[in-house]
Amino acid sequence: MARLATLFLRGCWLVLLLGAGLARAQTPDAGPGVAVPNAPGLASPPLPPRASPAPMAPAGPAARQLSRTRSLKIDVEPAGRALVRRLHPRATVPDSLTALRTVRELVLALQADAYLTASADELHWGRDTVRVRLYVGEQFRWAYLHNGNLGDGLLTRAGYREKFFRRTPWHPADWAALQERVLTEAENQGYPFATVGIDSLRMSGRDIAGRVVLKRGPAVYFDSLQIVGSSKTKKRFLTKYLQLTPGQPYSQQRVAAAAALLRQLPYVRLRAEPEVRFAKNRARVYLLLDERPSNQFDAIVGLLPNSNGASGVQFTGDVTINLRNLRGGGKQVGLQWRKTDATSQLLDASYLHPNIFGTPLEVGGTFNLYKQTGNYLTIRPRLQVSYPTARAGRLTFFAEQRSSRLLLDSAAYAQLGTLPNYVDSEYNSYGLGYSRANLDDLYFPHRGLFLSAQGGVGTKTIRRNASINEALYDGVALRSTQYSFSGRAERYWALGRQGVLLVRARGEGLFNQQFFLNDLFRLGGLNSLRGFQENQFYTNAYGVGTIELRQFTGPEGYVFVFADQAVLQAYTFTTTQRSTHALDSPTGLGAGLSFRTAAGLFQFVYSVGRSEFLNTTFSLTNSKIHFGLTSRF
């Protein structure tokens, strides 16, 4: 009768607890063991009896007696023995605190497994043994859990399926997870103060039935954005970029995503997470933003040995201008000119316009021009549309045209007996790109991950040159399908307080049945494969792996050592023979430093390279030195 009375009281307690009202989504943890929301508090078992004081006893033996290891013996009814064994409780305990914690975790684990009335009824402390009388009880289960007032759409998005709550064990963690998902959906639909609970609760033996009900509370709408700090970025741009439109229902998901989106902007510094203040059914979002110098002017000068065997050196140049956040609206303009050697020049221009037509879409355009004096000229315009998100990264659709034409004079063409390594061609392609950045700092990252990938497909057309004998085009596919792929992955690890390890892998591939040299990628130099001249390799497919160790000496200064290892299909050519190619694995090693000066960020890199295809080894005579100054304003 005593046991039946105890079970009746516990059952009444469970009914009162489950029907006590609505539960908040944030449920308290039941203790150091398994989290059991809405589970009864476990009364601590009695402490071991205190030994009578012995004034004259030596301290050492007494201390050893108090810390004596005891065996933990658990007495449980036969039906629950197999369940307790599966939980693997400790067989010995070094002290009384560990014994109490072990028993408590055991009871919580049973309750989390739907044995809601499990308890430790008695503890007996012996000289070498702690004996526990454990009551397991019956496993409670759902009879059913019906939809109360939530609506089928909300429950479906929350992951509710009625079959999951019919004749299945009543796990408190499952119920708490459903509460969280329902409230997450509610707070993303304009009800941040919603609560959820069980109504019409019924118990029949160990079966529990009820309806899940939601009290939405007041509907809340976005009011406005407030910028706190020195940032000059306009609120109108940030409102559209973050999709926090005044008058729209409040969404906690968008507020949480705002910080990640703001960290992707190079011209603002986020001082703290966005804050939200509620008043009169309105939510005002405060952004703590400071202005960050992002406009960039780079001028890099390189010294290289003459490639024609003559004594002396030759100069290369790289000038870059980037203007970001024009007039506070997020627009960006870029221009870059590079002179890689005595016969080659490159020009890049770009423009980015965010929030086109008031949408979160970004429209951008790029223009690339590459000229090799006396050989060919290639231009490549590109138009793209991007959709940036906080969680899924940035998705881009692009259309690109690549056109190349020969620059030789007509007399030189007429004397050719074979088709030259350069031809007039055009390649129109379409494709998709994806990128995702999770870096703690865009300019000087210490930790994080960056990923990007791109793929395109299009039609390549070879145009006959009127000055070249048409018979030389026999056997050449004038129209074909061409595929292109590229990818890049970077991972940064913080080593100690100032050390950073960078591991990077990047590559590109161009796939077609035939290639000419003005179709190929150019690899080599400071921005691709250090230790070699700019654009020294011609290739249709390559991969470069980099390991770089940086030691920061200040917020924007560091010294570094690096190793670049590439694998590529290298091409070579002469004016009288068609191109030949072979697999090569060049290596670049070096070190450098970067530090802040009054005029800007000074950079110095020293590197050497080795390549079997070029028949070069690590040598001081073939070393490369690059230095330059980067100014941000």
Side-chain angles (χ1 to χ4, degrees):
M1 293 300 292
R3 172 59 66 186
L4 291 177
T6 301
L7 288 176
F8 176 76
L9 291 176
R10 288 174 177 161
C12 292
W13 171 87
L14 181 63
V15 173
L16 292 175
L17 178 65
L18 295 177
L22 302 172
R24 296 294 300 173
Q26 302 298 330
T27 53
D29 194 350
V34 181
V36 188
N38 302 333
L42 178 64
S44 298
L47 294 172
R50 182 177 300 175
S52 57
M56 301 304 295
R64 288 194 297 269
Q65 185 176 4
L66 290 175
S67 60
R68 177 179 299 169
T69 300
R70 292 181 171 88
S71 299
L72 182 62
K73 303 295 184 181
I74 300 176
D75 297 331
V76 64
E77 63 269 21
R81 291 174 183 171
L83 176 63
V84 173
R85 282 197 300 268
R86 286 200 301 268
L87 296 177
H88 303 291
R90 301 181 58 154
T92 60
V93 290
D95 49 48
S96 60
L97 182 61
T98 304
L100 295 176
R101 184 181 295 113
T102 301
V103 174
R104 180 178 178 84
E105 291 176 355
L106 179 60
V107 173
L108 291 175
L110 290 170
Q111 293 175 349
D113 198 25
Y115 293 89
L116 303 181
T117 57
S119 63
D121 293 343
E122 294 181 4
L123 260 73
H124 297 284
W125 300 84
R127 180 178 179 85
D128 300 315
T129 305
V130 179
R131 187 170 296 275
V132 182
R133 188 162 66 88
L134 185 67
Y135 174 71
V136 175
E138 293 184 308
Q139 187 181 45
F140 286 76
R141 66 178 185 178
W142 289 102
Y144 59 82
L145 180 64
H146 290 164
N147 182 6
N149 64 341
L150 272 67
D152 294 336
L154 191 150
L155 272 183
T156 300
R157 289 190 297 271
Y160 169 82
R161 300 292 185 274
E162 187 172 346
K163 63 180 181 180
F164 296 158
F165 296 91
R166 181 178 295 277
R167 303 299 178 184
T168 58
W170 199 97
H171 293 133
D174 293 342
W175 166 238
L178 178 63
Q179 287 178 296
E180 287 286 351
R181 293 194 298 268
V182 170
L183 289 180
T184 298
E185 289 296 326
E187 68 185 7
N188 290 332
Q189 298 179 11
Y191 300 96
F193 302 106
T195 55
V196 65
I198 297 180
D199 191 18
S200 303
L201 182 68
R202 296 180 182 178
M203 293 188 63
S204 177
R206 62 189 183 97
D207 293 337
I208 303 174
R211 299 185 310 137
V212 56
V213 295
L214 176 70
K215 286 189 176 180
R216 289 177 169 81
V220 178
Y221 301 89
F222 283 116
D223 179 53
S224 62
L225 277 181
Q226 297 295 324
I227 299 177
V228 180
S230 61
S231 176
K232 300 177 182 179
T233 307
K234 293 181 179 180
K235 291 192 295 184
R236 180 181 178 183
F237 161 68
L238 290 177
T239 297
K240 296 177 181 178
Y241 175 69
L242 301 176
Q243 301 183 45
L244 302 178
T245 308
Q248 294 294 321
Y250 177 83
S251 173
Q252 179 62 33
Q253 182 179 2
R254 292 186 179 181
V255 174
L261 287 171
L262 290 172
R263 290 190 179 96
Q264 296 179 16
L265 300 179
Y267 40 83
V268 297
R269 178 180 287 107
L270 185 64
R271 293 189 305 179
E273 296 293 319
E275 298 180 0
V276 183
R277 297 182 183 178
F278 299 94
K280 298 181 180 180
N281 296 348
R282 294 284 177 173
R284 180 170 295 177
V285 181
Y286 290 81
L287 303 178
L288 285 73
L289 299 177
D290 285 336
E291 188 73 8
R292 185 175 190 178
S294 60
N295 297 324
Q296 183 177 357
F297 176 78
D298 296 353
I300 300 176
V301 178
L303 296 176
L304 301 175
N306 280 323
S307 58
N308 56 9
S311 61
V313 296
Q314 61 179 348
F315 288 88
T316 62
D318 188 334
V319 178
T320 302
I321 300 176
N322 283 320
L323 302 178
R324 299 184 174 97
N325 198 24
L326 298 177
R327 303 178 62 181
K331 303 178 183 67
Q332 301 183 34
V333 176
L335 183 67
Q336 183 183 43
W337 170 84
R338 284 190 292 168
K339 186 178 185 301
T340 57
D341 53 40
T343 61
S344 300
Q345 295 188 63
L346 182 145
L347 178 67
D348 279 314
S350 63
Y351 176 74
L352 179 66
H353 192 108
N355 304 138
I356 188 71
F357 302 128
T359 68
L361 297 178
E362 297 177 349
V363 175
T366 62
F367 177 82
N368 173 270
L369 182 149
Y370 181 79
K371 180 180 180 181
Q372 192 170 85
T373 303
N375 291 322
Y376 64 91
L377 173 69
T378 300
I379 60 174
R380 188 173 62 181
R382 167 177 167 142
L383 182 66
Q384 64 182 35
V385 179
S386 301
Y387 179 68
T389 64
R391 295 186 176 182
R394 183 184 302 266
L395 185 65
T396 301
F397 171 79
F398 67 89
E400 183 176 284
Q401 182 185 69
R402 187 179 185 276
S403 178
S404 185
R405 64 183 180 88
L406 301 182
L407 297 178
L408 292 174
D409 54 52
S410 301
Y413 288 144
Q415 298 175 0
L416 292 177
T418 60
L419 197 64
N421 290 290
Y422 314 102
V423 296
D424 297 287
S425 64
E426 185 174 294
Y427 174 49
N428 298 311
S429 64
Y430 307 89
L432 292 174
Y434 173 80
S435 64
R436 183 171 185 174
N438 185 23
L439 304 175
D440 60 344
D441 189 281
L442 289 179
Y443 294 121
F444 303 97
H446 285 64
R447 58 178 59 85
L449 178 67
F450 173 79
L451 298 172
S452 68
Q454 176 181 289
V457 60
T459 301
K460 175 183 175 182
T461 303
I462 296 178
R463 299 191 300 266
R464 297 177 184 267
N465 192 295
S467 301
I468 299 178
N469 188 355
E470 290 190 6
L472 300 182
Y473 288 94
D474 293 342
V476 176
L478 300 182
R479 187 178 179 88
S480 60
T481 301
Q482 184 165 286
Y483 302 90
S484 61
F485 301 94
S486 64
R488 184 186 185 102
E490 296 180 359
R491 182 63 187 270
Y492 295 84
W493 287 275
L495 304 177
R497 298 183 60 183
Q498 300 296 332
V500 174
L501 176 64
L502 163 63
V503 176
R504 176 172 57 220
R506 61 184 295 262
E508 290 183 286
L510 195 64
F511 302 96
N512 192 275
Q513 56 187 337
Q514 58 187 359
F515 295 107
F516 294 87
L517 289 185
N518 53 339
D519 297 328
L520 301 175
F521 301 116
R522 295 174 298 275
L523 189 69
L526 181 62
N527 296 319
S528 58
L529 183 59
R530 291 165 289 190
F532 298 91
Q533 297 181 16
E534 294 288 333
N535 299 333
Q536 190 167 4
F537 293 95
Y538 283 83
T539 178
N540 72 302
Y542 71 89
V544 179
T546 298
I547 297 180
E548 183 171 309
L549 181 62
R550 300 177 178 177
Q551 181 65 35
F552 278 80
T553 58
E556 298 182 352
Y558 59 90
V559 296
F560 61 95
V561 294
F562 66 86
D564 291 339
Q565 179 62 58
V567 177
L568 54 90
Q569 190 75 21
Y571 285 73
T572 187
F573 69 98
T574 65
T575 57
T576 60
Q577 296 180 358
R578 294 294 302 272
S579 60
T580 59
H581 58 86
L583 187 66
D584 191 22
S585 55
T587 304
L589 302 175
L593 56 88
S594 175
F595 58 90
R596 171 65 62 182
T597 67
L601 190 67
F602 179 78
Q603 299 174 348
F604 177 87
V605 179
Y606 178 87
S607 58
V608 293
R610 176 190 60 82
S611 169
E612 294 182 1
F613 185 79
L614 300 177
N615 196 23
T616 59
T617 60
F618 295 122
S619 172
L620 296 179
T621 58
N622 293 325
S623 62
K624 308 298 182 293
I625 298 176
H626 301 272
F627 56 91
L629 190 66
T630 301
S631 177
R632 291 192 178 94
F633 55 96

